[in-house]
């Protein structure tokens, strides 16, 4: 097999959460460009006519849209039952849905903590378990979590987010330890400081923005398109011997 052929996703079906915009939309486009059909789900994703749907269809691939509020466990289980009924074989799962709520730790309310842990951690565990058990039965599958620099660091004013992303790093390893021998790869991508909705508050703060930019060796904020290559790699046969890895896409931040 040619090395380039090992990146081919033709005939594969990928489920991507949080795909309406930003990094999630770029992930969907990347996998479609590599040949996969896309199942997209977000809390507010339009069921017809979304920007991501139009983009995927323009690439000649199929796009199936769903809505799910991952902060609500009952709604999550209903989504899982429906998507598994509609798509008996899901080859690739990208756990990208997430949220962030900012307030200093001493003032961080229970409702902030509970919402972030439910969306960023609990829902991702449940979805991976339920989709992953079918991958195990087939003996093949790719699971990729969206981690964060706060998988490794504590951050400021985002204790719930930091805790959830730390957990994602450990979940990635825990799943990989059990599933690697069963033909299922579980890995994660840790974005650095990327120009998306989640970092708008930081980019709008001149002092924080300058401080962050000064620590990035690549000397720029990342863009969603920077995740296309890593995403296709981790979703494809090219990464068949990669298990339990948290791949940083951060412009060199962690290298410092």
């Amino acid at each position: 097999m040619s090395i380039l052929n090992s990146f081919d996703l033709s005939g594969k079906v990928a489920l991507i959460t949080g795909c309406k915009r930003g990094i999630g939309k770029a992930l969907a486009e990347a996998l479609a460009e590599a040949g996969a059909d896309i199942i997209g789900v977000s809390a507010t994703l339009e069921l017809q006519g979304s920007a991501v749907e139009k983009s995927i269809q323009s690439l000649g691939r199929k796009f199936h849209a769903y809505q799910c509020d991952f902060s609500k466990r009952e709604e999550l289980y209903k989504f899982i039952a429906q998507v598994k009924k509609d798509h008996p074989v899901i080859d690739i799962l990208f756990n990208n849905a997430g949220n962030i709520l900012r307030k200093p730790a001493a003032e961080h309310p229970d409702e902030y903590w509970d919402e972030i842990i439910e969306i960023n951690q609990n829902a991702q565990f449940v979805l991976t378990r339920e989709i992953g058990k079918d991958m195990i039965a087939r003996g093949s599958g790719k699971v990729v979590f969206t981690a964060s620099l706060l998988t490794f660091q504590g951050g400021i004013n985002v204790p719930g987010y930091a805790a959830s992303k730390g957990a994602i790093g450990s979940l990635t390893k825990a799943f990989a330890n059990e599933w690697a021998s069963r033909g299922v790869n579980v890995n994660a991508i840790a974005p650095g400081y990327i120009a998306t909705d989640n970092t708008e508050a930081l980019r709008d703060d001149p002092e924080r923005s300058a401080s962050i930019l000064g620590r990035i060796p690549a000397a720029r904020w990342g863009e969603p398109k920077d995740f296309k290559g890593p995403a296709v790699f981790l979703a494809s046969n090219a990464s068949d011997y990669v298990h339990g890895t948290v791949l940083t896409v951060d412009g060199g931040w962690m290298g410092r």
Side-chain angles (χ1 to χ4, degrees), residues 15-18 39-42 68 70 73 75-84 90 92-97 118-135 143-145 171 175 179:
L15 169 56
I16 303 174
T17 72
I39 304 166
V41 57
S42 295
C68 180
F70 290 100
R73 189 72 61 90
E75 192 168 325
L76 171 62
Y77 275 114
K78 287 180 179 177
F79 163 69
I80 291 170
Q82 188 64 54
V83 78
K84 290 177 70 168
I90 296 173
I92 302 160
L93 169 63
F94 267 78
N95 284 299
N96 178 68
E118 189 63 33
I119 294 171
N120 293 8
Q121 178 180 326
N122 296 345
Q124 299 198 28
F125 168 75
V126 171
L127 183 59
T128 301
R129 182 190 66 201
E130 296 304 308
I131 300 298
K133 64 178 61 176
D134 294 335
M135 293 178 173
V143 178
V144 183
F145 289 92
L171 270 179
F175 278 122
W179 293 359

Side-chain angles (χ1 to χ4, degrees), residues 99-118 120 150 154-164:
N99 195 13
I100 188 168
L101 294 172
R102 301 177 187 276
K103 190 162 281 194
E107 305 164 18
H108 210 78
D110 287 358
E111 54 267 28
Y112 274 29
W113 176 272
D114 291 344
E115 179 177 339
I116 295 305
I117 295 300
E118 189 63 33
N120 293 8
L150 299 197
I156 299 171
N157 296 332
V158 288
Y161 184 83
S164 70

Side-chain angles (χ1 to χ4, degrees), residues 16 25 46 49 51 74 91-92 115 120 125 128-129 131 151 154 176 193 195 198 209 216 220 224 231:
I16 303 174
K25 182 172 180 285
E46 301 91 337
E74 183 178 349
D91 303 287
I92 302 160
E115 179 177 339
N120 293 8
F125 168 75
T128 301
R129 182 190 66 201
I131 300 298
T151 300
Y193 286 92
N198 274 2
S209 182
I216 300 174
R220 68 173 177 88

Side-chain angles (χ1 to χ4, degrees), residues 1 9 77 120 132 139 146 164 171 177 180 190 201 217 228 240 242-243:
M1 176 187 291
L9 299 179
Y77 275 114
N120 293 8
T146 296
S164 70
L171 270 179
N177 288 344
K228 288 189 170 185
D240 279 352
V242 180
H243 296 275

Side-chain angles (χ1 to χ4, degrees), residues 141-216:
K142 301 281 185 172
V143 178
V144 183
F145 289 92
T146 296
S148 168
L149 291 183
L150 299 197
T151 300
F152 313 101
Q153 302 171 336
I156 299 171
N157 296 332
V158 288
Y161 184 83
S164 70
K165 291 302 184 178
I168 289 301
S170 292
L171 270 179
T172 298
K173 298 178 180 69
F175 278 122
N177 288 344
E178 295 189 33
W179 293 359
S181 64
R182 312 290 293 276
V184 180
N185 296 72
V186 184
N187 294 288
I189 296 174
Y193 286 92
I194 312 301
T196 65
D197 292 351
N198 274 2
T199 60
E200 185 175 3
L202 296 177
R203 288 181 287 118
D204 287 346
D205 182 331
E207 186 175 337
R208 288 292 306 280
S209 182
S211 174
I212 290 167
L213 194 59
R215 286 192 57 189
I216 300 174

